[in-house]
Amino acid sequence: MSLRYALLALLNVEPMTGYDLYKQFESSVGYVWHAPDSQIYPELRRMERDGLLEGEEVAWGTKGRKRQYHVTDAGREAFRTWVNTQLDYPRERDPMHLKAAYLEWADPDAARSQLLAHAEHYGARLLQWQQKIQEIDGGTSDMLNRRLATFPSADHSRVAAFKRFTYEGLTARAESEIAWAQRGLALLDELYPEDSSGTAAT
Amino acid sequence: MSLRYALLALLNVEPMTGYDLYKQFESSVGYVWHAPDSQIYPELRRMERDGLLEGEEVAWGTKGRKRQYHVTDAGREAFRTWVNTQLDYPRERDPMHLKAAYLEWADPDAARSQLLAHAEHYGARLLQWQQKIQEIDGGTSDMLNRRLATFPSADHSRVAAFKRFTYEGLTARAESEIAWAQRGLALLDELYPEDSSGTAAT
DNA sequence: GATTTCATGTAAATGGTTACATGATTCG
DNA sequence: CGAATCATGTAACCATTTACATGAAATC
């Protein structure tokens, strides 16, 4: 259900085509919420059917056509309702932590490489999110600047602050996951001292 | 796909019925991986069909019957393969962080109550997970003790250590989420100083 | 002219949620 | 005897993933 609101959030800034939105999901918003094109196009149609968006066929080249969507009043209202409404939290479901609970079944090397991969996964995300924070601070975020243009300047600090706040949360989470993976690697060295391949070779 | 391995993990300790497993998912394992009964029963049937489990009809009372499952060699092998195999990480998809990025659209009070709810949600989980750690440390965890009984005593410290490690990761995450929500509440007070309802009431 | 990017989808499968349905057994 | 718990499912729906499919426009 969040896909709908992620799309509304982007279209609140300016009208876009499905493909424009898809690219956003591959970069900026995609770092918080991902969706593939095969989910975006049908959802846009449904949102139009539900009156949240209006689509307009636009010529593209000589024979090409594309469909540009803009948010309706009902769409803006639905978005405002969403931001004001309490989420319900799904029950816990985390594959890596589930697996970690049974790591005594694993090869020490396989366990090591998975914890390393865990740290690397979140390391990569950490970099992306930190970069986003730098873009916000430096005023070089394209999307944020366009979003700011839709707000009176008195609200600009808020808009930027909440965006920064979001990425701060994600970086904190990434750091916590990395620290956890590293504690896991240390634990493996402790529990299987005979072969500490990769960690303290020689 | 992880449901299958969560079930194998539990059945590795001892044979159980669907209902036994369901109860585990409501308490112990449920704090790491949740599944409703309507997902458990059909999955057990599929696992039996795939040769990972064997089910046996057991009498229960005079007319009642129940189906007790135990893991086959193929099942143990599949589980071992799973713990040794690298997960692939899903793309980012986090409703609360998505919403946080657009909190300038929210009522300050609605924003506050949602961040408060976020902190409370993870606060409740934090307590559960910390309790699990205490059970592990105190040797009072029923499930862990039965699991330990299936391992030679040389391996006991490992089994307990990995279980503890899992919950440590989850508590760290919960703490990070709580800290984030609190930073958010402070931010709201900063951005909307006029009404700081609830936070610093006289 | 070939490759990349722009553009828009459909189809099948997977994994999960919510609601419904039923009946036996045990416990107080 | 009534309530809680034990026991096992089905059905409909929703969100998401992966794979397939097509073609125009822009760029090199």
Side-chain angles (χ1 to χ4, degrees), chain A residues 16 25 31 35 47 56 59 61 69 89 108 110 146 155 165 177 189:
Chain A
M16 279 188 243
F25 276 88
Y31 298 153
M47 289 166 76
E56 189 194 351
Y69 291 93
Y89 289 83
R146 266 176 291 143
D155 295 335
F165 170 60
E177 291 298 328
D189 286 348

Side-chain angles (χ1 to χ4, degrees), chain B residues 24-46:
Chain B
Q24 295 287 318
F25 277 89
E26 288 299 299
S27 55
S28 61
V29 214
Y31 299 153
V32 183
W33 192 274
H34 173 260
D37 52 351
S38 67
Q39 211 189 346
I40 293 170
Y41 289 113
E43 182 63 20
L44 288 170
R45 291 287 179 172
R46 274 191 296 270

Side-chain angles (χ1 to χ4, degrees), chain B residues 7 25 35 38 56 61 74 90 125 131 195:
Chain B
L7 291 168
F25 277 89
S38 67
E56 190 194 350
R125 252 122 227 80
Q131 201 190 313
D195 74 349

Side-chain angles (χ1 to χ4, degrees), chain A residues 1-2 22 27 36 40 48 52-53 59-60 65 78 83 94-95 97 106 120 137 139 144 148 157 171 174 181 200:
Chain A
M1 253 295 77
S2 292
Y22 159 69
S27 55
I40 293 170
E48 187 174 9
L52 307 178
L53 300 181
W60 168 57
R65 80 228 133 83
V83 288
D94 186 307
H97 282 74
E120 274 162 12
D137 290 349
L144 177 58
L148 287 174
S157 64
T171 56

Side-chain angles (χ1 to χ4, degrees), chain A residues 94-118 180 188 192, chain B residues 1-2 4-10 12 74-89 147 151 159 162-163 165-166:
Chain A
D94 186 307
M96 190 57 195
H97 282 74
L98 174 65
K99 190 185 278 195
Y102 301 98
L103 231 38
E104 70 269 10
W105 284 74
D107 238 27
D109 280 348
R112 265 185 200 99
S113 80
Q114 286 180 81
L115 287 170
L116 215 60
H118 192 76
W180 178 69
L188 285 171
Y192 304 95
Chain B
M1 252 292 80
S2 293
R4 173 161 293 210
Y5 299 101
L7 291 168
L8 280 174
L10 292 171
N12 270 329
R76 257 178 301 275
E77 195 41 42
F79 184 71
R80 205 169 278 119
T81 301
W82 174 72
V83 289
N84 280 319
T85 303
Q86 174 64 51
L87 289 171
D88 29 295
Y89 289 83
R147 222 169 111 192
F151 284 87
V159 176
F162 288 128
K163 240 202 154 199
F165 170 59
T166 300

Side-chain angles (χ1 to χ4, degrees), chain B:
Chain B
M1 252 292 80
S2 293
L3 171 59
R4 173 161 293 210
Y5 299 101
L7 291 168
L8 280 174
L10 292 171
L11 291 170
N12 270 329
V13 174
E14 61 191 348
M16 280 188 242
T17 67
Y19 189 70
D20 292 334
L21 289 159
Y22 159 70
K23 275 183 302 174
Q24 295 287 318
F25 277 89
E26 288 299 299
S27 55
S28 61
V29 214
Y31 299 153
V32 183
W33 192 274
H34 173 260
D37 52 351
S38 67
Q39 211 189 346
I40 293 170
Y41 289 113
E43 182 63 20
L44 288 170
R45 291 287 179 172
R46 274 191 296 270
M47 289 165 77
E48 187 174 10
R49 187 202 59 199
D50 296 347
L52 306 178
L53 300 181
E54 245 168 47
E56 190 194 350
E57 288 290 315
V58 173
W60 167 59
T62 42
K63 274 191 276 182
R65 80 228 134 79
K66 56 183 185 175
R67 197 168 181 81
Q68 185 126 17
Y69 292 94
H70 66 90
V71 182
T72 64
D73 287 344
R76 257 178 301 275
E77 195 41 42
F79 184 71
R80 205 169 278 119
T81 301
W82 174 72
V83 289
N84 280 319
T85 303
Q86 174 64 51
L87 289 171
D88 29 295
Y89 289 83
R91 303 287 293 267
E92 228 36 63
R93 197 173 289 114
D94 186 307
M96 189 58 197
H97 282 74
L98 174 65
K99 192 185 275 195
Y102 301 99
L103 231 39
E104 70 269 10
W105 283 73
D107 237 26
D109 279 347
R112 264 186 202 100
S113 81
Q114 286 181 82
L115 287 169
L116 214 59
H118 192 76
E120 273 162 12
H121 171 80
Y122 281 101
R125 252 122 227 80
L126 180 58
L127 281 176
Q128 287 177 333
W129 290 323
Q130 282 172 338
Q131 201 190 313
K132 287 281 151 196
I133 290 179
Q134 273 165 24
E135 282 173 24
I136 293 164
D137 291 349
T140 61
S141 165
D142 229 49
M143 196 61 200
L144 177 58
N145 289 337
R146 269 177 288 143
R147 222 169 111 192
L148 287 173
T150 70
F151 284 87
S153 58
D155 294 336
H156 282 195
S157 63
R158 280 172 195 170
V159 176
F162 288 128
K163 240 202 154 199
R164 193 182 205 284
F165 170 59
T166 300
Y167 288 114
E168 280 171 11
L170 293 170
T171 56
R173 181 186 295 175
E175 280 161 0
S176 151
E177 292 298 329
I178 293 166
W180 178 68
Q182 277 160 355
R183 238 177 319 132
L185 287 166
L187 182 62
L188 284 172
D189 285 347
E190 215 179 284
L191 295 177
Y192 304 94
E194 65 284 6
D195 74 349
S196 320
S197 44
T199 356
T202 309

